[in-house]
């Protein structure tokens, strides 16, 4: 029997007398009462004054209606020894090191924490969890390939192509020691492939091992808390073992990044929904939670049913269907039989559905955009919560820009065989053009185009007679001509008689001198083919004929 001092209002005192106290000594502002020695499990009050209410209190513990899982010892509670130092995962029954770097085992019965890496309390389930690193510092050097994984052989295999639901809790210390990180769930074809690494602690993640298949991964961040991870997996091969640990990305965080793992569950598709399901459309006035009809233990004659949210009883909710919804939270149903035995349903995590959309939109100067009930005329980033047809929240992030009338001038050149395109229009002749374009926002853009030809010149004849006038044949051009990349000369029978590369345009003493293999060629008509590099970085072909004169 517990004796407590407590201060109450008159109304609270009446409730206290009726529901908690079995006797009252004196009714003064400070009242002495005798509290319940154990928790009453369905009144929404902390009856025994221990800070825990209803099914949060161990006094109200019930067996949890869980389907069988292939993971033995999912919360690391069962142990063959109490850890007294790090790297003792072997103490947790059914678990082993999946990597050469060794994870750590934490249990209230023995060693519990490093000075810098404190387990976030309370643990999700029981008194045990494991810890693992994603890289470690040796002196001033970060060993990014030091990655620790926990593993276990399943009690029965996961079948190829079947759907399974995977759940686990990831724990974070403070932000300095547990920075944001990727976490990965691996399926292994054979238990013989545990551990991986072949004695090499710098092996890294098991991505290169064909027997390891990544079944799921997630990116999480937290600060001295536990985060729940839940996702579907569909194995592509039969899986007989699993490994859990960091992702394959290298972590450069300082100091040694450290995380915790607890309460790992793996369910078959038929067990996904648990004992509670959603009735009617989400967010609609008729939305309710329902105890499933196939949960036989809920409907035995004489059993008493009570709904809970986040472990606290919901007054008056004792039927198979909730009278109304009570917001986001973890819902459970507790059944107490006439003989005092009780069963607790699987938790149903209810989160009111909401969507998130990012939009980018441009309006013309003087125009507007309507977001919900607000008419926007200035650029900026806007956030609004709208309602869907069913009443769910739709969060919209709008990046709104304002386009003014756009004026631009373009001066460019083309080769005679080319064209220049603006929007859907093409221009293939020199001239001055005014082009009107419409942006995606419907705003006008005016572009003034000045178009001309690239200029390149080749003489029609040359006389390589050594008089210093027209002794060489080459091409010339304006400042837009960068280089004569290649020049080839052919005779009238198509034979190559001269070839050179890298000529400077307009050089008077460089080019073809009318010779071939050291001998002068006869007068006549020859054909040239040149590759010319222009200031836009493109090479273009120029060809024609040249008369060799003596």
């Amino acid at each position: 029997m517990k004796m407590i001092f407590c201060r109450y209002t008159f109304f609270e005192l009446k409730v206290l007398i009726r529901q908690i106290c079995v006797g009252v000594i004196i009714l003064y502002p400070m009242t002495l009462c005798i509290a319940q020695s154990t928790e009453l499990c369905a009144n929404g009050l902390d009856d025994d004054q221990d800070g825990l209410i209803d099914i949060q209190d161990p006094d109200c513990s019930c067996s949890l209606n869980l389907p069988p899982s292939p993971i033995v010892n999912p919360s690391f509670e069962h142990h063959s020894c109490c850890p007294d130092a790090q790297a003792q995962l072997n103490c947790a029954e059914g678990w082993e090191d999946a990597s050469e770097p060794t994870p750590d085992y934490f249990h209230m019965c023995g060693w519990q924490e490093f000075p810098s890496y404190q387990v976030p309390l309370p643990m999700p389930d029981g008194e045990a969890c494991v810890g693992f690193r994603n890289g470690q510092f040796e002196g001033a050097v970060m060993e990014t390939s030091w990655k620790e994984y926990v593993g276990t052989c399943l009690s029965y295999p996961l079948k190829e192509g079947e759907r399974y639901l995977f759940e686990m809790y990831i724990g974070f210390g403070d932000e300095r020691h547990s920075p944001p990180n990727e976490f990965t769930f691996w399926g292994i074809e054979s238990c013989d492939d545990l551990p991986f690494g072949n004695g090499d602690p710098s092996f890294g993640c098991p991505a290169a091992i064909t027997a390891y298949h990544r079944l799921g991964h997630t990116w999480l961040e937290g600060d001295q808390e536990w985060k729940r991870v839940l996702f579907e997996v569909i194995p592509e091969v039969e899986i007989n073992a699993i490994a859990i640990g960091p992702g394959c990305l290298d972590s450069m965080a300082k100091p040694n990044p450290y995380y915790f793992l607890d309460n790992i569950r793996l369910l078959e598709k038929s067990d996904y929904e648990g004992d509670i399901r959603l009735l009617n459309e989400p967010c609609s006035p008729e939305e309710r939670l329902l105890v499933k009809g196939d949960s036989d233990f809920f409907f035995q004659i004489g059993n008493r049913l009570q709904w809970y949210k986040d472990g606290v009883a919901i007054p008056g909710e004792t039927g198979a269907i909730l009278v109304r919804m009570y917001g986001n939270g973890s819902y459970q149903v507790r059944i107490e039989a006439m003989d005092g035995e009780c069963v607790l349903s699987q938790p149903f995590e209810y989160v009111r559905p909401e969507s998130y959309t990012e939009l980018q939109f441009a309006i013309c100067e003087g125009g507007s955009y309507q977001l919900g009930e607000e008419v926007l005329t200035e650029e900026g980033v806007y956030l609004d919560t709208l309602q869907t047809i069913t009443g769910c929240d739709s969060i919209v992030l709008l990046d709104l820009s304002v386009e003014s009338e756009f004026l631009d001038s373009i001066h460019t050149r083309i080769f005679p065989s080319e064209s220049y395109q603006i929007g859907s229009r093409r221009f293939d002749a020199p001239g001055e053009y005014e082009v009107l374009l419409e942006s995606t926002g419907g705003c006008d853009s005016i572009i003034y185009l000045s178009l001309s030809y690239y200029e390149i010149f080749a003489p029609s004849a040359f006389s390589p007679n050594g008089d210093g006038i027209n002794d060489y044949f080459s091409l010339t051009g304006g400042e837009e001509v960068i280089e004569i990349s290649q020049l080839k000369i052919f005779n009238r029978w198509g034979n190559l008689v001269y070839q050179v590369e890298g000529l400077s345009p307009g050089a008077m003493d460089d080019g073809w001198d009318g010779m071939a293999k050291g001998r002068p060629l006869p007068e006549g008509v020859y054909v040239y083919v040149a590759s010319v590099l222009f200031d836009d970085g493109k090479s273009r072909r120029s060809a024609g004929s040249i008369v060799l004169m003596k």
Side-chain angles (χ1 to χ4, degrees):
M1 180 175 293
K2 299 180 181 179
M3 300 293 292
I4 61 170
F5 285 98
C6 43
R7 185 187 300 274
Y8 297 102
T9 66
F10 180 71
F11 173 76
E12 291 171 335
L13 185 59
K14 290 197 300 182
V15 174
L16 184 68
I17 295 171
R18 183 175 68 252
Q19 296 188 356
I20 300 180
C21 297
V22 297
V24 177
I25 305 302
I26 187 169
L27 300 180
Y28 289 128
M30 183 64 74
T31 303
L32 179 66
C33 60
I34 302 174
Q36 285 283 139
S37 59
T38 58
E39 182 78 7
L40 301 179
C41 302
N43 61 3
L45 298 173
D46 183 9
D47 304 296
D48 55 5
Q49 302 294 305
D50 63 355
L52 302 174
I53 301 175
D54 293 345
I55 60 174
Q56 300 172 357
D57 196 307
D59 291 344
C60 299
S61 62
C62 295
S63 59
L64 194 61
N65 184 46
L66 292 176
S69 170
I71 298 178
V72 178
N73 194 16
S75 294
F76 309 100
E77 296 302 305
H78 302 294
H79 53 283
S80 58
C81 55
C82 287
D84 55 16
Q86 63 190 84
Q88 294 185 2
L89 183 58
N90 59 294
C91 284
E93 294 180 1
W95 291 92
E96 59 183 294
D97 302 324
S99 55
E100 294 300 333
T102 54
D104 306 309
Y105 183 46
F106 300 87
H107 199 290
M108 293 294 185
C109 70
W111 181 81
Q112 296 179 32
E113 59 188 36
F114 293 104
S116 300
Y117 309 127
Q118 296 185 359
V119 179
L121 298 175
M123 298 182 196
D125 186 28
E127 299 180 335
C129 66
V130 298
F132 60 92
R133 299 179 187 270
N134 183 21
Q136 70 170 359
F137 273 88
E138 288 292 337
V141 179
M142 177 65 166
E143 297 182 4
T144 57
S145 60
W146 185 280
K147 295 178 180 289
E148 298 177 350
Y149 296 82
V150 300
T152 185
C153 192
L154 302 177
S155 60
Y156 60 84
L158 308 185
K159 298 178 182 178
E160 174 186 353
E162 292 291 323
R163 293 179 181 271
Y164 298 87
L165 186 70
F166 172 69
E167 178 188 48
M168 67 179 178
Y169 284 82
I170 297 292
F172 293 80
D174 59 55
E175 292 180 330
R176 180 169 176 262
H177 295 95
S178 299
N181 193 64
E182 182 188 26
F183 303 93
T184 310
F185 173 48
W186 299 88
I188 308 165
E189 295 181 39
S190 172
C191 296
D192 295 335
D193 292 310
L194 287 174
F196 67 86
N198 298 320
D200 179 12
S202 63
F203 188 89
C205 84
I209 304 175
T210 57
Y212 278 66
H213 305 267
R214 192 171 74 167
L215 299 181
H217 66 106
T218 185
W219 184 269
L220 292 176
E221 59 181 304
D223 182 13
Q224 297 178 322
E225 61 184 317
W226 291 91
K227 289 293 186 73
R228 180 174 179 249
V229 178
L230 185 69
F231 51 82
E232 269 193 348
V233 297
I234 306 177
E236 296 180 355
V237 298
E238 184 176 276
I239 298 299
N240 285 278
I242 61 170
I244 303 168
C248 293
L249 297 176
D250 290 340
S251 173
M252 298 305 295
K254 296 182 180 181
N256 303 322
Y258 200 88
Y259 308 91
F260 303 91
L261 178 67
D262 194 14
N263 198 18
I264 305 161
R265 297 177 59 206
L266 193 61
L267 307 176
E268 294 186 37
K269 178 182 178 182
S270 59
D271 299 317
Y272 278 20
E273 295 181 354
D275 306 307
I276 300 172
R277 69 178 177 87
L278 192 63
L279 186 65
N280 301 319
E281 286 292 324
C283 307
S284 69
E286 295 79 22
E287 181 187 24
R288 298 290 186 273
L289 291 182
L290 165 71
V291 179
K292 290 171 56 178
D294 56 357
S295 301
D296 295 335
F297 70 94
F298 285 120
F299 300 103
Q300 296 176 9
I301 296 176
N303 286 357
R304 296 189 298 274
L305 181 150
Q306 176 64 54
W307 285 84
Y308 296 81
K309 179 190 173 189
D310 299 327
V312 179
I314 306 174
E317 294 289 3
T318 58
I321 302 176
L322 279 180
V323 174
R324 65 179 183 86
M325 297 300 294
Y326 295 86
N328 295 345
S330 179
Y331 288 82
Q332 286 181 276
V333 173
R334 182 179 186 270
I335 288 296
E336 185 173 340
M338 296 181 67
D339 59 4
E341 294 295 324
C342 65
V343 180
L344 194 61
S345 74
Q346 302 172 48
F348 182 91
E349 304 296 335
Y350 174 78
V351 178
R352 184 179 174 89
E354 63 180 30
S355 61
Y356 177 78
T357 305
E358 292 186 5
L359 299 177
Q360 286 186 324
F361 198 81
I363 59 175
C364 302
E365 193 169 11
S368 63
Y369 183 92
Q370 184 163 352
L371 180 62
E373 298 180 355
E374 187 175 2
V375 178
L376 308 174
T377 59
E378 298 181 359
E379 67 180 12
V381 178
Y382 299 89
L383 183 67
D384 198 1
T385 300
L386 310 178
Q387 294 291 316
T388 64
I389 296 176
T390 59
C392 295
D393 291 338
S394 176
I395 301 173
V396 178
L397 180 68
L398 171 66
D399 185 359
L400 184 66
S401 59
V402 178
E403 294 184 355
S404 57
E405 185 178 272
F406 180 78
L407 298 176
D408 195 13
S409 296
I410 298 175
H411 300 272
T412 189
R413 297 181 177 91
I414 59 173
F415 223 49
S417 60
E418 299 175 336
S419 64
Y420 189 82
Q421 184 170 354
I422 299 178
S424 60
R425 296 183 61 184
R426 288 183 176 274
F427 304 89
D428 55 12
E432 304 290 330
Y433 303 93
E434 182 179 298
V435 185
L436 179 64
L437 298 177
E438 186 177 285
S439 71
T440 55
C443 309
D444 291 337
S445 297
I446 299 176
I447 297 177
Y448 296 102
L449 173 64
S450 176
L451 190 63
S452 58
Y453 281 146
Y454 280 115
E455 294 182 349
I456 187 166
F457 306 99
S460 59
F462 79 118
S463 56
N465 53 15
D467 62 358
I469 302 174
N470 294 330
D471 286 335
Y472 292 90
F473 169 74
S474 185
L475 281 72
T476 62
E479 62 181 10
E480 68 272 14
V481 179
I482 304 301
E483 182 185 58
I484 311 301
S485 304
Q486 187 180 67
L487 175 64
K488 293 182 178 181
I489 307 295
F490 300 87
N491 62 20
R492 60 180 178 173
W493 294 283
N495 297 320
L496 179 67
V497 297
Y498 175 80
Q499 178 176 338
V500 69
E501 296 181 356
L503 289 176
S504 298
M508 302 301 295
D509 57 352
D510 199 4
W512 183 39
D513 59 1
M515 305 284 285
K517 297 182 179 180
R519 296 185 302 172
L521 293 178
E523 292 184 337
V525 178
Y526 293 82
V527 175
Y528 70 87
V529 177
S531 177
V532 184
L533 177 65
F534 291 88
D535 59 2
D536 63 352
K538 294 182 180 180
S539 292
R540 294 170 172 87
R541 182 176 178 272
S542 179
S545 62
I546 177 70
V547 177
L548 189 155
M549 302 174 62
K550 295 295 186 179

